[in-house]
Amino acid sequence: MSPRLVEPLAVEPLRVGVVCFSTFGGSGVIATEIAIDLARRGHAVHVFSDELPERMDPPPPALASQLVFHRVSPPAYPQLKQSPYTLALTSKIVEVSRRERLQIVHAHYALPHAVAAHLARQVLAAQGDAGAAPVPRIVTTLHGTDITLVGSDPSFLPLTRFSIAGSDAVTTPSDWLARATHEVLGVPGAVAIDVIPNFVDVARFTPAPGGAPPGSGSGVPVVAHVSNFRPLKRLDDVVEVFARVRAARPARLWLVGDGPERARIEAAIAARRLQADVEVLGERADLPAVLRGADVFLLPSEIESFGLAALEALSCGVPVVASAVGGLPEVIADGEVGFLRPVGDVAAMAAAVGRLLDDAALRRRLGAAGRRLAESRYALAPAVDRYVDLYRRVLA
Ligand code: GMT
């Protein structure tokens, strides 16, 4: 059965559901920043996740009537050995869509979010009758490992392809990920993908006030790394690069975030007797202040569709040293706002970090260029404008 069309959209405001992960990670950040900005613009926004996403915790009180969080909690039954999160999410989307007459469900990450949105739409279409809720359009934003890792797992591949090909619109944050979706995942060329680059709140992620250079001010330069501590972030390379940098000059390393690699990497730091120079800071709500205290940001990932953490550092005026991989070269022009080096080339990365730490003028020049880049190309409002235009297009 093909879903009924939504009601004609001359009507404002839009009624949008946003489905995302709550964990510390770029896709949840982008999803919640879009949700909050849409609510600020007067649209009715419903966010679906297992917990309040970090950037929405606490939800802005002034937006209470526009921005509603729906916690997805799978019911516990002994018959259901594995927690049925996808089914609970589907049911929640159905329930809220019916009640709030959602026009758009914007799924961030293909699995399980876009799949749940499709299933919810089928349920709504099958149960629809005259006067019932409209069947929402599905917009899917692919973020990275939903294509390059999880989604391309042979067992998930048909489901990933289905959820993408059946969406009313598909977006990626970089040209590279759009290409990978067609080439690696085998999504037909006829499935159009809109590239809407990620963005940063340049009013929150600012350089130090009064034009002071970034850095901790302690006299010992700081290298910062922010991630969700998964194997593809190559935390061993972070430690190795830092060890080489530290061998040549005093320096400190700040590790921000949390994830499966944390315990292992803490043990590696201890084994290398680097504890005195390394701080493992965990997840930080005051991320802009932390980034402002750093002199260089290091992101030696195996793969990165965009590298939102690097953009947030640039917005704070901190130059970046990163892998020349995936979508990172679209954000970081080598030699202009930082340096890109081959994946795993710890010697070259250590040389680039050392060069920046030893040359304050270079650091300031690249940091200022990074800030200008964030303001001119990656501001939040124009990006959300593009999503609103996309919603209107699929509703037209
Ligand atoms: O795909 C992931 O690993 C998850 C995702 C996240 O939730 O952190 O990260 C991806 O999405 C971010 C936001 O669009 C991008 O900035 C990251 O580069 C991307 N990660 C990868 O491609 C590994």
Side-chain angles (χ1 to χ4, degrees), residues 176-202:
W176 177 84
L177 190 62
R179 275 198 308 278
T181 303
H182 287 302
E183 289 165 14
V184 180
L185 215 69
V187 167
V191 176
I193 297 179
D194 285 80
V195 177
I196 304 183
N198 285 338
F199 53 84
V200 57
D201 182 350
V202 293

Side-chain angles (χ1 to χ4, degrees), residues 9-72:
L9 188 89
V11 278
E12 290 282 2
L14 293 168
R15 302 182 299 277
V16 182
V18 173
V19 187
C20 65
F21 292 126
S22 60
T23 43
F24 195 75
S27 67
V29 168
I30 289 297
T32 35
E33 297 282 5
I34 293 170
I36 293 168
D37 202 57
L38 287 172
R40 272 199 201 110
R41 295 168 183 220
H43 301 292
V45 185
H46 297 265
V47 175
F48 300 84
S49 197
D50 61 331
E51 298 286 347
L52 254 185
E54 189 258 328
R55 298 267 167 116
M56 232 182 110
D57 189 7
L63 299 179
S65 61
Q66 297 302 126
L67 182 66
V68 183
F69 173 65
H70 302 276
R71 189 181 308 278
V72 178

Side-chain angles (χ1 to χ4, degrees), residues 115 117 141 211 214-215 227 230 239 258 296 300 303 306 311 314 322 331 346 352 367 377 379:
V115 172
T141 292
S227 77
R230 283 178 294 163
V239 174
D258 206 344
V296 175
I303 194 73
F306 182 90
L311 175 60
L314 294 179
V331 185
V346 288
R377 204 181 295 170

Side-chain angles (χ1 to χ4, degrees), residues 15 54 72 89 160 198 226 284 286 294 304 382-383 388-389 393:
R15 302 182 299 277
E54 189 258 328
V72 178
L89 173 60
T160 313
N198 285 338
V226 179
R284 296 286 295 248
D286 61 342
E304 210 61 73
V388 172
D389 288 348
R393 193 178 88 205

Side-chain angles (χ1 to χ4, degrees), residues 52-255:
L52 254 185
E54 189 258 328
R55 298 267 167 116
M56 232 182 110
D57 189 7
L63 299 179
S65 61
Q66 297 302 126
L67 182 66
V68 183
F69 173 65
H70 302 276
R71 189 181 308 278
V72 178
S73 318
Y77 288 104
Q79 290 87 340
L80 304 176
K81 227 171 114 196
Q82 308 294 335
S83 173
Y85 183 79
T86 308
L87 299 184
L89 173 60
T90 304
S91 301
K92 190 59 90 180
I93 297 172
V94 169
E95 173 205 318
V96 175
S97 288
R98 248 194 219 133
R99 194 176 62 239
E100 305 293 340
R101 304 175 66 77
L102 295 184
Q103 297 165 298
I104 299 282
V105 173
H106 188 167
H108 290 263
Y109 213 82
L111 300 179
H113 298 156
V115 172
H118 280 279
L119 194 50
R121 182 159 76 169
Q122 287 299 107
V123 174
L124 289 161
Q127 295 180 355
D129 53 35
V135 176
R137 297 296 202 199
I138 297 174
V139 174
T140 297
T141 292
L142 306 169
H143 279 277
T145 49
D146 47 354
I147 298 306
T148 55
L149 191 66
V150 183
S152 51
D153 183 289
S155 67
F156 286 143
L157 188 56
L159 208 49
T160 313
R161 278 203 201 110
F162 165 84
S163 72
I164 294 170
S167 295
D168 296 292
V170 180
T171 80
T172 59
S174 61
D175 289 325
W176 177 84
L177 190 62
R179 275 198 308 278
T181 303
H182 287 302
E183 289 165 14
V184 180
L185 215 69
V187 167
V191 176
I193 297 179
D194 285 80
V195 177
I196 304 183
N198 285 338
F199 53 84
V200 57
D201 182 350
V202 293
R204 193 168 159 249
F205 286 83
T206 54
S216 64
S218 69
V220 179
V222 172
V223 179
H225 168 82
V226 179
S227 77
N228 45 18
F229 283 50
R230 283 178 294 163
L232 64 78
K233 299 295 175 178
R234 296 183 71 97
L235 269 297
D236 293 297
D237 286 6
V238 174
V239 174
E240 179 60 36
V241 168
F242 175 71
R244 290 175 186 228
V245 168
R246 173 71 189 89
R249 62 188 71 65
R252 295 189 68 73
L253 173 64
W254 291 350
L255 294 176

